[in-house]
Amino acid sequence: MRELALNILDIVMNSVEAGASRIIVAIDERASANRLCVRIRDNGRGMNEEMVQRVLDPFVTTRTTRSVGMGLSMLRQIARQCGGDLTIRSQPGRGTLVTTMFQLDSLNRPPIGDMAESIVNLILGSLDVHFFYAHKTDAGSFTFDSFWLFGRMAERNCQIVEMTSPAKKYIKEKLKSIASKAIGSA
Amino acid sequence: MKTLADLRAVKEKAKQEMAMREQSAKYRISVAMGTCGIAAGARNVMSAILDEISKRGIQDAAVSQTGCLGCCDQEPLVQVTGADNNTITYSKVSPETARQIIADHVQAGRVVSEHVFNMG
């Protein structure tokens, strides 16, 4: 995967498959602290301690479970190559929090990539999940709630798919307005 | 400015509409969005499908995403289920093929046979 937005999409799909009804994606991009932090929190079925250990092992998990596989270990490897790490906190019945840290200026760090594509496609493909996306940089912050799409859809009295490109455009513009000036940023 | 309660109501209404649409949808389109699918380009396939449905103003199609279907080497996989519950699986779908599936299969009812994958 060439952009973190694809890894994020992948990890969020675990949350969707874990039956989450609410998913929060929070990106904190701080050039001042040379740090990029991605948090994905869901209220899905969660995992016990043993399972948390297993999902990070690519060779144990791929064949034993369908809900989780290579994705997490792959992202952890990328994070570690960038002077960061990936940690999982989970509680059965409560949900899961996946936190991934990167050194922002690491040469190994893939670009964040197209978050608008990942987020809007996730919303359109799982309409019964409430998504919340927050993106912070040194220049400002932006939040997007899947309610936005439903609200606009009602206003325009249109089909939900017709909201795809306005929503992507809106997110792209907002992200541009808070874009970090750091070298190698998305 | 809408209140949270307004938005909830709007969302509920939208959800009901969506559920109705889902039930009455002539075609259900499902994009495999596991790690393997995403790595093979499923996100752009999904974008192409949403865009094409929107452009063509197709009313009777419902789109969703699923996890890995177990044929990772054939990704990106797209499944189209008709009203008769018959499912056609397309493999190695590019964004261009995805647009063709929407135009030919979903809109005109002609299966795009050269991209059909037999899951066995």
Side-chain angles (χ1 to χ4, degrees):
Chain A
M1 292 186 198
R2 294 195 186 91
E3 42 177 296
L4 292 176
L6 288 175
N7 294 98
I8 293 169
L9 169 63
D10 182 29
I11 307 304
V12 174
M13 276 306 290
N14 291 340
S15 300
V16 170
E17 299 212 325
S21 62
R22 205 171 60 242
I23 301 173
I24 300 168
V25 177
I27 299 181
D28 199 348
E29 202 184 334
R30 296 296 166 139
S32 53
N34 190 21
R35 202 186 59 156
L36 171 67
C37 177
V38 178
R39 289 190 187 86
I40 297 163
R41 186 192 294 270
D42 71 60
N43 66 346
R45 71 175 70 90
M47 296 174 281
N48 59 28
E49 194 52 43
E50 190 209 336
M51 187 70 182
V52 169
Q53 293 307 315
R54 290 203 317 174
V55 296
L56 284 167
D57 184 335
F59 298 107
V60 175
T61 56
T62 47
R63 300 294 170 203
T64 54
T65 54
R66 279 181 73 87
S67 58
V68 275
M70 294 288 286
L72 283 163
S73 49
M74 190 161 71
L75 184 55
R76 182 172 68 168
Q77 190 187 350
I78 298 170
R80 287 182 172 176
Q81 284 167 349
C82 303
D85 207 352
L86 178 148
T87 53
I88 302 175
R89 276 176 52 199
S90 191
Q91 230 182 314
R94 297 289 298 274
T96 301
L97 168 66
V98 178
T99 306
T100 316
M101 301 277 266
F102 306 85
Q103 217 172 291
L104 192 67
D105 70 354
S106 168
L107 292 173
N108 292 321
R109 186 180 65 78
I112 293 175
D114 202 332
M115 281 305 295
E117 287 286 324
S118 289
I119 295 291
V120 176
N121 286 7
L122 275 165
I123 296 172
L124 269 288
S126 304
L127 290 170
D128 44 2
V129 180
H130 185 176
F131 286 96
F132 190 77
Y133 167 45
H135 198 129
K136 275 188 207 162
T137 70
D138 289 317
S141 66
F142 161 64
T143 58
F144 186 82
D145 188 313
S146 53
F147 275 2
W148 184 94
L149 262 168
F150 294 106
R152 292 299 166 97
M153 177 188 149
E155 272 171 30
R156 295 181 181 202
N157 196 20
C158 69
Q159 283 207 85
I160 191 82
V161 285
E162 291 171 58
M163 289 309 302
T164 316
S165 95
K168 286 176 182 173
K169 205 170 145 232
Y170 174 75
I171 295 177
K172 273 175 201 165
E173 276 167 13
K174 289 287 181 184
L175 288 179
K176 215 171 156 190
S177 73
I178 58 159
S180 163
K181 287 167 190 71
I183 298 164
S185 173
Chain B
M1 188 67 197
K2 281 198 163 69
T3 67
L4 198 59
D6 287 341
L7 286 170
R8 281 220 174 86
V10 163
K11 198 201 169 192
E12 274 315 304
K13 193 166 160 265
K15 253 173 94 173
Q16 282 168 9
E17 271 182 37
M18 229 81 73
M20 272 172 61
R21 219 169 265 162
E22 185 97 16
Q23 277 171 7
S24 64
K26 200 165 153 198
Y27 288 105
R28 278 169 288 145
I29 302 150
S30 163
V31 183
M33 206 70 89
T35 307
C36 45
I38 294 169
R43 187 186 66 179
N44 292 349
V45 168
M46 177 81 169
S47 299
I49 288 173
L50 292 169
D51 187 53
E52 203 61 30
I53 290 176
S54 174
K55 267 188 192 155
R56 291 176 178 271
I58 296 171
Q59 305 274 345
D60 52 1
V63 184
S64 65
Q65 57 209 358
T66 63
C68 172
L69 296 175
C71 310
C72 308
D73 62 322
Q74 296 295 323
E75 295 282 1
L77 289 164
V78 173
Q79 294 188 305
V80 180
T81 305
D84 54 359
N85 272 334
N86 202 354
T87 299
I88 303 282
T89 304
Y90 293 103
S91 65
K92 298 187 176 171
V93 177
S94 65
E96 293 71 34
T97 312
R99 289 181 190 277
Q100 196 190 344
I101 292 168
I102 298 304
D104 291 2
H105 189 160
V106 176
Q107 195 167 40
R110 284 192 313 267
V111 174
V112 186
S113 46
E114 62 268 38
H115 293 285
V116 172
F117 173 58
N118 191 341
M119 308 241 325

